[in-house]
Amino acid sequence: MARDAKYDILFEPVKIGTKTTRNRFYQVPHCIGAGTNYPGFQMAHRGVKAEGGFGVINTEQCSIHPECDDTLRITARIWDEGDMRNLKAMVDRLHSFGSLAGCELFYAGPHGPGLEARTISRTPSQYASEFGTVPACPGFTYSHEADKDELKRLQRQYADAAERARDTGFDIVDVYGAHAYGPMQWLNPYYNRRTDEYGGSLENRARFWIETLEGIKNRVGDDVALVTRCAIDTLYGDTGLELEVDTLRFVEQASDYLDLWNVTIGDIAEWGEDAGPSRFYASGHENDWVKFIKKHTNKPVVGVGRYTQADKMQEVVRAGVIDLIGCARPSIADPFLPKKIEEGRLDDVRVCIGCNVCISRWEMGGVPFICTQNATAAEEYRRGWHPEKFEPAKSDKSVLVVGAGPCGSECTRVLLERGYTVHLYDTRDKIGGYVNDVAALPGLGEWGYHRDYRETQITKLLKKNKQSQVALNQKPLTADDVLEYGAERVVIATGAKWATDGENWMTHAPIEGADASKPNQLVPEQVYEGTKEVGKNIVIVNHDPYYTCPSIAEKYAAAGHNVTIISSVEVGAYMHYTLEGPNMHRRLHELGVEVIGESAVSKIEDGAVEYFNIWAEGSKREYRGPGKLPRDENKSHKKIECDSVILITGRKSNDALYRELKARKDEWEKNGIEDIWVLGDAEAPRIIADATFDGHRLAREIEDEDPQHQKPFKREQKVWGAAYIPGDNDDLEFRL
Ligand code: ADP
Ligand code: SF4
């Protein structure tokens, strides 16, 4: 299908200095957990985006020198020839598809904790990082105030790194000054308290940044295009950098040294203002700031804002807001976004849902990232998964998938792509499982794109595959039904449910009096159904660290209920990693939700809940001998009155169907069943991204010896006394 002519503008080439990008799709630098540690992962992940049509693709933050060490988080480094060699695999791959390769030169200051290199960073003044450099520990890492020799040394480090980037084959170097990194600390009066010619007036504060750009230009000339990533407003008024006061003037001063501006907003401690979760920000949320930049420079501008819709992209280009469409998350959820727009296949786009689970894995450190929508993200190299290519079916054995949630629907989609005969079966009237409920919670509407993508794709694939079908709105399948169904293989993806008796991670046991069959107690499923009456005063008994508790609290508080949360974990603790945390806490605070933290519930009575401080609980070390432990009996128990209690304590797999089928294994053969597997939340409760991954994995591995258990993936690990495994001559192609 040809694309609509209004999108042609997105496929125009744009000059960036001496380089030309083939179109306006620009993968801005974003972290993935590969860095230079996992060159195969780096090469293959960025490579599919080049194949998918992105004109420019950048590394993640790439440290210029050991003084910038962001471990625990895995980031790229360009310290020496080894790093260059590892990054070259990516660069060559991008070039083979006609894309430009960019390297983001990164110097963290105290926002990088230096845990591996044990170095101290140089900054304009001395300060402690306000970022949780070590998770949940702001204020832990300090910098050293640079004297003039030291700041010149730092500028040379930038130029040295730019030279190494050029010699690696990069087309672009981007001096990273967004998110409070590198030269931003010199420009921003929040950090820069100097009184010499590098501090004070805007001209003085801009001096370090401009000299750094000049030094790089002198060193690498026009061999590479020079870009800088700049946070144009730090969003804390005159204590930081303000667009009209500082940045527009800075843009005018620095433009001559640059070939492109890469602009964002916000800082590092709350970088969710930039990588805005859909819970709080719609696509294009930075435009109120970004739209001014082009009026103050004659260089092209790239900006971000979770651009997933072609209409919105062409609109912002035509309106002169930006020249290049910056994508991080949209390129992760769908590396073939440009190609799909180019080919007029808009309904095939896997739209980023803005959940920031990708960011969460990087933010907590040390692991490859994942994507809720795209199960192949980070699996391109180690499992050989291509986001758009599937191995044809290796047998004509039919598959019954029970449960059309994230796991079952993804499994079905991939099996259909491969050409298998599949029956997808669910009691609900819609594909999507519990995503249908979650997407109805405050702010989570865009999460419904997860369901929509699978629904659309399965519907399309069924038109080509007439033996397959989706059966919704059915009665629950029993073990007899499954045995008699006639399928040779069965996937049980029946999901999980919230415990109705208060079972939780702390005691691994029910809570006295907790019983969701009572009229005044509810579990989240009953909240979603909306059939049980909820009183004015609600107590939420919470042991869950993610979005369910704050979302349900918000729902009821916004509707005028008095909500108190009694929680053993920080409410929404995991949402710090998804960058939803700060705004979520503000929202609950604004709505008057009371949080009784570090507490758990001992008993639920009619009209009251008894709770205690968890640190007052000495019973964990109870000793029955003659001595006495230095712990008090827990005397902290208190009572709170309420009309309704919501139990968000723990999840349990819906695995009864699987367990009965397994117990009747001797009946499989005579019913023509070869295998039955349990997947997703039905195997163990997990986040949507991991349930989706599991369904995807089985569909790829269904012909393997033991598909219930994942097959080994290719590791990129240094082996003592030997070359890397896989070795230096390892193929750079996918396994397909
Ligand atoms: P996951 O995240 O693992 O995909 P979900 O809870 O989202 O889990 O999805 C499970 C789906 O399975 C739900 O849509 C539910 O209606 C369906 N389901 C559960 N048990 C049965 C059953 N016995 N027969 C048919 N469908 C079922
Ligand atoms: Fe988008 Fe979520 Fe995937 Fe990140 S994990 S790219 S936010 S869908």
Side-chain angles (χ1 to χ4, degrees):
M1 210 172 104
R3 68 166 179 263
D4 191 321
K6 73 178 167 187
Y7 305 133
D8 287 354
I9 194 169
L10 300 173
F11 296 91
E12 290 171 354
V14 178
K15 269 185 86 61
I16 308 173
T18 55
K19 310 286 173 179
T20 303
T21 165
R22 60 183 150 138
N23 59 33
R24 295 182 188 268
F25 293 91
Y26 192 103
Q27 183 242 271
V28 291
H30 71 78
C31 291
I32 59 177
T36 27
N37 301 23
Y38 302 104
F41 168 15
Q42 182 70 270
M43 171 277 300
H45 176 75
R46 309 283 181 193
V48 291
K49 297 184 188 181
E51 190 185 349
F54 280 88
V56 179
I57 293 153
N58 284 274
T59 59
E60 64 268 59
Q61 52 190 33
C62 184
S63 163
I64 59 170
H65 187 271
E67 271 179 21
C68 169
D69 166 22
D70 207 25
T71 325
L72 314 163
R73 292 171 278 271
I74 299 174
T75 55
R77 293 164 169 180
I78 192 152
W79 297 353
D80 56 31
E81 282 177 21
D83 290 331
M84 291 165 69
R85 184 182 168 119
N86 283 359
L87 289 169
K88 193 168 183 309
M90 163 192 154
V91 170
D92 291 348
R93 186 93 185 161
L94 301 186
H95 286 166
S96 75
F97 290 107
S99 301
L100 299 178
C103 181
E104 187 187 48
L105 303 182
F106 169 51
Y107 189 83
H111 306 317
L115 297 179
E116 183 183 1
R118 305 188 78 175
T119 45
I120 290 294
S121 61
R122 322 273 137 188
T123 51
S125 308
Q126 184 171 68
Y127 34 82
S129 172
E130 70 281 8
F131 182 44
T133 53
V134 174
C137 297
F140 194 64
T141 322
Y142 291 79
S143 60
H144 169 81
E145 179 177 320
D147 63 25
K148 283 197 194 126
D149 290 339
E150 288 168 325
L151 74 86
K152 294 286 171 202
R153 179 173 168 269
L154 179 52
Q155 288 172 332
R156 275 198 306 280
Q157 288 168 359
Y158 271 105
D160 292 346
E163 197 177 334
R164 287 192 292 274
R166 178 198 61 192
D167 295 345
T168 304
F170 282 103
D171 307 284
I172 292 171
V173 294
D174 185 330
V175 176
Y176 185 16
H179 304 131
Y181 285 130
M184 172 55 77
Q185 292 170 30
W186 294 78
L187 188 66
N188 186 350
Y190 174 64
Y191 298 107
N192 187 340
R193 307 287 164 104
R194 292 173 86 96
T195 52
D196 64 4
E197 68 268 36
Y198 289 90
S201 68
L202 175 74
E203 281 65 30
N204 283 357
R205 284 182 280 119
R207 195 178 309 282
F208 177 88
W209 200 328
I210 289 175
E211 283 179 2
T212 302
L213 296 175
E214 218 174 353
I216 293 174
K217 204 79 189 163
N218 287 341
R219 189 76 73 83
V220 296
D222 290 334
D223 297 350
V224 293
L226 185 52
V227 180
T228 209
R229 194 181 197 187
C230 177
I232 54 179
D233 198 310
T234 51
L235 308 179
Y236 33 81
D238 61 7
T239 54
L241 209 67
E242 288 183 289
L243 180 80
E244 290 88 350
V245 180
D246 314 272
T247 329
L248 294 179
R249 280 163 59 208
F250 172 65
V251 167
E252 286 166 4
Q253 290 168 20
S255 273
D256 283 350
Y257 303 95
L258 287 169
D259 299 311
L260 170 75
W261 282 95
N262 175 4
V263 295
T264 65
I265 55 170
D267 65 350
I268 187 62
E270 284 204 30
W271 68 285
E273 298 304 300
D274 172 33
S278 60
R279 189 182 186 100
F280 299 108
Y281 294 113
S283 172
H285 75 285
E286 310 199 13
N287 287 346
D288 288 343
W289 291 267
V290 172
K291 66 187 178 197
F292 293 101
I293 300 300
K294 275 188 66 62
K295 298 191 179 83
H296 292 261
T297 178
N298 55 4
K299 299 294 164 64
V301 175
V302 57
V304 288
R306 217 172 70 254
Y307 288 112
T308 57
Q309 312 292 347
D311 261 331
K312 185 102 191 174
M313 295 177 192
Q314 60 87 27
E315 198 182 293
V316 289
V317 173
R318 282 180 208 285
V321 178
I322 48 179
D323 301 286
L324 295 160
I325 305 296
C327 293
R329 292 168 294 166
S331 75
I332 298 165
D334 198 335
F336 274 59
L337 178 63
K339 204 149 239 176
K340 289 176 182 175
I341 296 173
E342 189 173 22
E343 293 171 357
R345 295 165 48 212
L346 298 187
D347 59 349
D348 288 339
V349 172
R350 210 166 26 247
V351 177
C352 164
I353 67 170
C355 61
N356 284 4
V357 160
C358 48
I359 291 168
S360 73
R361 289 286 168 112
W362 177 78
E363 190 77 4
M364 71 173 84
V367 288
F369 82 153
I370 59 173
C371 173
T372 306
Q373 271 285 47
N374 176 11
T376 69
E379 307 298 347
E380 300 90 351
Y381 181 75
R382 63 179 190 167
R383 289 183 214 269
W385 292 358
H386 188 287
E388 302 293 319
K389 293 181 193 161
F390 304 91
E391 193 181 23
K394 281 194 190 155
S395 75
D396 56 7
K397 291 174 189 157
S398 59
V399 188
L400 167 66
V401 179
V402 189
C407 179
S409 60
E410 177 71 354
C411 188
T412 301
R413 178 183 81 86
V414 177
L415 287 171
L416 290 173
E417 288 278 10
R418 296 189 62 185
Y420 282 95
T421 299
V422 191
H423 283 201
L424 176 62
Y425 195 102
D426 204 301
T427 49
R428 283 181 174 253
D429 59 1
K430 229 175 150 33
I431 280 176
Y434 82 106
V435 169
N436 288 302
D437 304 321
V438 169
L441 287 169
L444 299 188
E446 289 197 43
W447 290 29
Y449 292 140
H450 186 281
R451 166 204 57 217
D452 298 348
Y453 172 72
R454 278 140 197 101
E455 199 171 46
T456 307
Q457 295 304 307
I458 289 171
T459 308
K460 280 177 133 184
L461 288 160
L462 286 181
K463 289 194 183 126
K464 291 192 255 169
N465 185 328
K466 300 285 183 203
Q467 310 94 291
S468 295
Q469 67 174 58
V470 175
L472 298 173
N473 230 345
Q474 303 293 313
K475 67 174 181 42
L477 279 179
T478 62
D480 285 333
D481 297 333
V482 171
L483 289 170
E484 288 159 18
Y485 196 89
E488 286 145 301
R489 292 156 160 183
V490 182
V491 171
I492 304 291
T494 46
K497 57 183 173 301
W498 288 94
T500 55
D501 59 2
E503 186 177 325
N504 61 83
W505 65 263
M506 250 179 73
T507 60
H508 296 172
I511 294 170
E512 189 182 335
D515 180 358
S517 68
K518 291 193 170 162
N520 57 352
Q521 293 187 36
L522 300 89
V523 281
E525 288 88 346
Q526 293 165 323
V527 170
Y528 307 143
E529 281 163 20
T531 46
K532 237 179 192 180
E533 204 154 312
V534 179
K536 177 84 177 162
N537 299 308
I538 301 173
V539 167
I540 299 180
V541 181
N542 182 57
H543 286 276
D544 185 76
Y546 200 11
Y547 60 86
T548 308
C549 172
S551 301
I552 288 178
E554 180 177 344
K555 174 187 160 85
Y556 284 114
H561 295 259
N562 301 322
V563 180
T564 304
I565 301 170
I566 300 174
S567 190
S568 60
V569 286
E570 185 193 336
V571 172
Y574 191 78
M575 293 163 84
H576 284 294
Y577 299 122
T578 61
L579 314 183
E580 295 164 293
N583 283 325
M584 177 273 292
H585 283 293
R586 283 180 198 118
R587 180 98 183 104
L588 293 187
H589 180 74
E590 281 162 17
L591 287 167
V593 172
E594 287 288 332
V595 177
I596 302 176
E598 301 187 346
S599 296
V601 166
S602 40
K603 202 192 294 177
I604 299 174
E605 298 164 352
D606 262 353
V609 165
E610 183 191 85
Y611 65 97
F612 60 96
N613 182 291
I614 56 174
W615 302 116
E617 179 64 283
S619 63
K620 284 263 149 92
R621 294 287 303 270
E622 194 172 309
Y623 175 59
R624 292 176 188 278
K628 186 153 173 39
L629 279 170
R631 286 164 195 253
D632 277 348
E633 181 197 342
N634 190 345
K635 299 191 187 89
S636 71
H637 290 74
K638 291 184 188 156
K639 266 193 190 173
I640 180 169
E641 292 186 354
C642 61
D643 307 313
S644 301
V645 175
I646 301 177
L647 302 167
I648 308 177
T649 59
R651 295 167 76 199
K652 295 292 265 184
S653 289
N654 286 329
D655 58 1
L657 177 60
Y658 173 72
R659 291 197 182 279
E660 185 178 345
L661 286 164
K662 191 79 197 279
R664 292 168 66 180
K665 198 167 181 180
D666 53 353
E667 295 175 51
W668 293 6
E669 202 179 328
K670 69 169 186 270
N671 286 290
I673 294 178
E674 197 177 90
D675 234 326
I676 300 180
W677 305 292
V678 62
L679 292 189
D681 295 324
E683 186 191 26
R686 57 193 85 179
I687 59 174
I688 299 167
D690 283 325
T692 309
F693 165 83
D694 207 27
H696 190 107
R697 181 196 63 74
L698 185 115
R700 297 252 187 194
E701 298 180 352
I702 195 161
E703 300 294 346
D704 288 357
E705 205 178 302
D706 179 15
Q708 177 69 57
H709 304 105
Q710 63 164 259
K711 75 180 192 193
F713 54 85
K714 210 161 160 181
R715 296 174 67 201
E716 294 184 79
Q717 169 163 269
K718 188 151 193 179
V719 177
W720 191 251
Y724 280 91
I725 287 184
D728 290 342
N729 296 323
D730 195 48
D731 69 285
L732 298 183
E733 290 306 317
F734 299 107
R735 287 190 202 162
L736 291 177

